[in-house]
Amino acid sequence: MPPSELHALTEKIVAFRDARDWKQFHNPKDLAAGLAIEAAELQEIFLWRSKEELQDTVSKKRIQLSEELADVAWFTLLLAHELDIDLNEAIADKLAKNAAKYPVEKSKGSHAKYDEL
Amino acid sequence: MPPSELHALTEKIVAFRDARDWKQFHNPKDLAAGLAIEAAELQEIFLWRSKEELQDTVSKKRIQLSEELADVAWFTLLLAHELDIDLNEAIADKLAKNAAKYPVEKSKGSHAKYDEL
Amino acid sequence: MPPSELHALTEKIVAFRDARDWKQFHNPKDLAAGLAIEAAELQEIFLWRSKEELQDTVSKKRIQLSEELADVAWFTLLLAHELDIDLNEAIADKLAKNAAKYPVEKSKGSHAKYDEL
Amino acid sequence: MPPSELHALTEKIVAFRDARDWKQFHNPKDLAAGLAIEAAELQEIFLWRSKEELQDTVSKKRIQLSEELADVAWFTLLLAHELDIDLNEAIADKLAKNAAKYPVEKSKGSHAKYDEL
C-alpha cells in the first residue's frame, strides 16, 4: 500500500494550523460550524443562476469555486483528523449503507429519498 | 507517483451514482446545496452542547459523526469530479494563499479573520 | 401604534422556552447555529428538484415547508430577542442600505451581486 | 385586529424586489438557498469565539449582527410570501407540535432531541 494521499494532505493542513497555534480554537463543534460556513460560501456562487447559466458560471468562477471547495476539503480533513475518523473507511461504510438504502432497481433514475422510494 | 487515493474514492462514488443513473440530478448547483445540507447535519450533532460536553458527544455519536463526515466528503469528491478540480492542487493553492493572508507572526494564537489582523 | 405582532410571537416562543428552562442553552452562537441548521432542513425539501418540479413540490410538501419555515422564523425571533435587535428597524435599515447597493437602474432584471453590477 | 406588522414588512420587501424585477429569480428553491446562505453569514460572526467572548462579540459586532439577521428575516418573509404561508399560523402550529414533542416534565433543563428524551 502506498503512503496515503489523504494523510499527506492532512499533515500539511495540521502543520499550517500548528504553526499558528490554532488547535486551541479547533474543537469539533467549531470545525463543523466552519465547514458548514465554507459550504455556504461555495453554494453562494450558484445562487440565482438558472440551469442554463451553470456552465458559464463554472467557467467564469473557476478560481473561486476551486478555493471554496478547497476550504470545504480543508475543514473535512481537519475534522476527520480531530475525530480520528479514517475517511477511506467512513466512505466505504457509507457506500455499503447507501447501497442498502438505495437499491439500484428501486432508485434508478429517481431522486426520491430512501424513505419515499 | 502511486495511484491516487482520492481518485480511487471518487471512482467508487461515481460508479455508485452511475449505477443509479443519478448524474442527471448532479449539476454543480445541486451538489453544492447537497454538500451544505450534509454539513448542517454534521453540525447538528454538536448543537446546544457545551465545550465540556464535546468529548462525551464525540464518544457517544462516533458512528453518526463518521456517517455525516462521509456524506460531506462524498459530495466534496463528486463536486470536484464534476467541476474537474484537482483537490490536491486546490488545497496546495489554498495553503499558499492562506499563508500570505495569515502570516505566522500576525496570526499566531489569534482567531481573527485576515482583514482584522 | 397597535401592539406589535412580532412582539406577541416572540413572547409565545420565549414562554415556551422558559417553561422548559432552555435559556441556559440559548447563547447567540448556538441560536445562530440552530438557525442555519433549520434553514438547511428547509432547503433540503427542494434538493435535486428541477425548476419544472418546484410547483408540485410546493403543493405536496406544504406541511413540511410550513414547519421548517416556522422553525427558521422561531430561531430568528429568539435570536433577535437575545440580541435585543428590533427586526422592524433592522429590516428598515437593510432596505435603505440595499437600495444604495442595488440602485434600480443598475440592478433591474439582473441577479448580479452589487460588487459585479 | 390591527393591520399586520408582518404583512407590512413583507409589502416593503416585495416592493423592493418588484422595482428591480427580481421575482423571476425568486423561485422557492433559490429563496431557501439564499436563506441558508444568509444564516451561514450570521453564524460566521460567532465562529471560533469561546463562550466567554460572546458578550464582547455581541457588543462589537452589533451592526453586522443586525444586518445579517435582517437578511435572514428578509428571505423568511419573502419565502413565506411566495409559498403563501401565514407565519403566525405556522408558528402557532409549530408551538402546538413542539409542546407535544417536548413535554415540560420530560424536557425541562435538557437539550436532548425529542427522540432521545
Side-chain angles (χ1 to χ4, degrees):
Chain A
M1 171 95 183
S4 162
E5 194 182 10
L6 286 167
H7 185 71
L9 280 171
T10 303
E11 281 207 327
K12 283 180 206 164
I13 290 167
V14 170
F16 184 95
R17 192 260 308 266
D18 289 345
R20 284 156 188 80
D21 195 17
W22 285 352
K23 188 177 159 57
Q24 59 184 312
F25 310 122
H26 284 188
N27 62 77
K29 182 172 177 169
D30 275 278
L31 285 174
L35 177 53
I37 291 163
E38 296 300 341
E41 292 180 7
L42 179 61
Q43 193 184 358
E44 196 191 359
I45 299 173
F46 297 112
L47 188 63
W48 313 127
R49 315 269 174 171
S50 70
K51 194 182 166 188
E52 291 71 29
E53 293 172 292
L54 291 186
Q55 196 48 56
D56 185 58
T57 302
V58 167
S59 301
K60 289 195 181 138
K61 301 282 184 182
R62 187 151 194 84
I63 292 170
Q64 204 186 336
L65 283 165
S66 176
E67 285 193 18
E68 298 299 352
L69 198 58
D71 282 337
V72 167
W74 180 302
F75 278 112
T76 303
L77 291 170
L78 212 39
L79 194 47
H81 177 75
E82 288 309 297
L83 298 174
D84 197 21
I85 287 173
D86 182 310
L87 283 176
N88 270 303
E89 276 179 38
I91 291 173
D93 288 353
K94 195 74 209 206
L95 277 162
K97 192 160 180 176
N98 279 356
K101 276 163 92 176
Y102 295 96
V104 169
E105 62 275 16
K106 286 178 82 177
S107 60
K108 191 157 188 172
S110 161
H111 61 50
K113 254 193 116 165
Y114 66 94
D115 53 3
E116 298 191 342
L117 277 176
Chain B
M1 172 97 182
S4 162
E5 195 181 9
L6 286 167
H7 185 72
L9 281 171
T10 303
E11 281 206 327
K12 283 179 206 166
I13 291 167
V14 170
F16 184 96
R17 192 259 307 266
D18 290 344
R20 284 155 187 81
D21 196 17
W22 285 351
K23 188 177 159 59
Q24 58 184 313
F25 310 123
H26 284 189
N27 63 77
K29 182 172 176 170
D30 274 278
L31 285 173
L35 177 54
I37 291 163
E38 296 300 341
E41 291 180 8
L42 179 61
Q43 194 182 187
E44 196 190 358
I45 300 171
F46 297 112
L47 189 62
W48 312 127
R49 316 268 175 173
S50 70
K51 192 181 167 189
E52 291 71 28
E53 292 173 291
L54 292 186
Q55 195 48 56
D56 186 57
T57 302
V58 167
S59 301
K60 290 195 180 138
K61 302 281 182 184
R62 186 149 194 86
I63 292 169
Q64 203 185 337
L65 283 166
S66 176
E67 284 193 19
E68 298 299 352
L69 199 58
D71 282 336
V72 166
W74 180 302
F75 278 112
T76 304
L77 291 170
L78 213 39
L79 194 47
H81 177 74
E82 289 308 299
L83 297 175
D84 198 21
I85 287 173
D86 182 311
L87 282 176
N88 270 303
E89 275 178 39
I91 291 174
D93 287 353
K94 194 74 208 206
L95 277 161
K97 191 159 179 175
N98 278 356
K101 274 162 95 177
Y102 295 96
V104 169
E105 62 275 18
K106 287 178 82 176
S107 60
K108 192 159 189 172
S110 160
H111 60 51
K113 255 193 115 164
Y114 65 93
D115 53 3
E116 296 191 344
L117 278 176
Chain C
M1 171 97 182
S4 162
E5 194 183 10
L6 286 168
H7 185 71
L9 281 171
T10 303
E11 281 206 327
K12 284 179 206 165
I13 291 168
V14 170
F16 183 96
R17 192 259 307 267
D18 289 345
R20 284 155 188 79
D21 195 17
W22 284 352
K23 189 177 158 56
Q24 58 183 312
F25 311 123
H26 283 188
N27 62 77
K29 182 173 177 169
D30 275 277
L31 285 173
L35 177 54
I37 290 163
E38 296 300 341
E41 290 180 7
L42 178 61
Q43 193 182 188
E44 196 190 358
I45 300 171
F46 297 113
L47 188 63
W48 313 128
R49 315 269 174 171
S50 69
K51 193 181 167 190
E52 290 72 29
E53 292 173 293
L54 291 186
Q55 195 48 56
D56 185 57
T57 302
V58 167
S59 301
K60 290 196 180 136
K61 302 282 183 183
R62 186 150 193 84
I63 293 170
Q64 204 186 336
L65 283 165
S66 176
E67 284 194 20
E68 298 299 352
L69 198 58
D71 282 336
V72 166
W74 180 302
F75 278 112
T76 303
L77 291 170
L78 212 39
L79 194 48
H81 177 75
E82 288 309 297
L83 297 175
D84 198 22
I85 287 174
D86 181 312
L87 282 176
N88 270 303
E89 275 179 39
I91 290 173
D93 288 353
K94 194 74 208 205
L95 277 162
K97 190 158 180 176
N98 278 356
K101 275 163 93 177
Y102 295 97
V104 170
E105 62 275 17
K106 287 178 81 175
S107 60
K108 192 159 190 171
S110 161
H111 60 50
K113 255 193 115 163
Y114 66 92
D115 53 3
E116 296 191 344
L117 278 176
Chain D
M1 172 95 183
S4 162
E5 193 182 10
L6 285 168
H7 185 71
L9 281 171
T10 303
E11 281 206 327
K12 282 180 207 165
I13 290 168
V14 170
F16 184 95
R17 192 259 308 266
D18 289 344
R20 284 157 189 79
D21 195 18
W22 284 352
K23 188 176 159 56
Q24 59 183 312
F25 310 122
H26 284 188
N27 61 78
K29 182 172 177 168
D30 275 279
L31 285 174
L35 177 53
I37 291 163
E38 295 301 341
E41 291 179 8
L42 179 61
Q43 193 183 359
E44 196 191 358
I45 299 172
F46 297 113
L47 188 63
W48 312 128
R49 315 270 174 171
S50 70
K51 194 181 166 188
E52 291 71 29
E53 292 172 293
L54 291 186
Q55 195 48 57
D56 185 57
T57 302
V58 167
S59 302
K60 290 196 180 137
K61 302 281 183 183
R62 187 150 194 84
I63 293 169
Q64 204 186 337
L65 284 166
S66 176
E67 285 194 18
E68 298 299 352
L69 198 58
D71 282 336
V72 167
W74 180 302
F75 278 113
T76 304
L77 291 170
L78 212 39
L79 194 47
H81 177 75
E82 289 308 298
L83 298 174
D84 198 21
I85 287 174
D86 181 311
L87 283 175
N88 271 303
E89 277 179 37
I91 291 173
D93 288 352
K94 194 76 208 206
L95 277 162
K97 191 159 181 177
N98 278 355
K101 275 163 92 177
Y102 295 96
V104 169
E105 62 275 18
K106 286 178 82 177
S107 60
K108 191 158 189 171
S110 161
H111 59 50
K113 255 193 115 164
Y114 65 94
D115 53 3
E116 297 191 343
L117 278 176

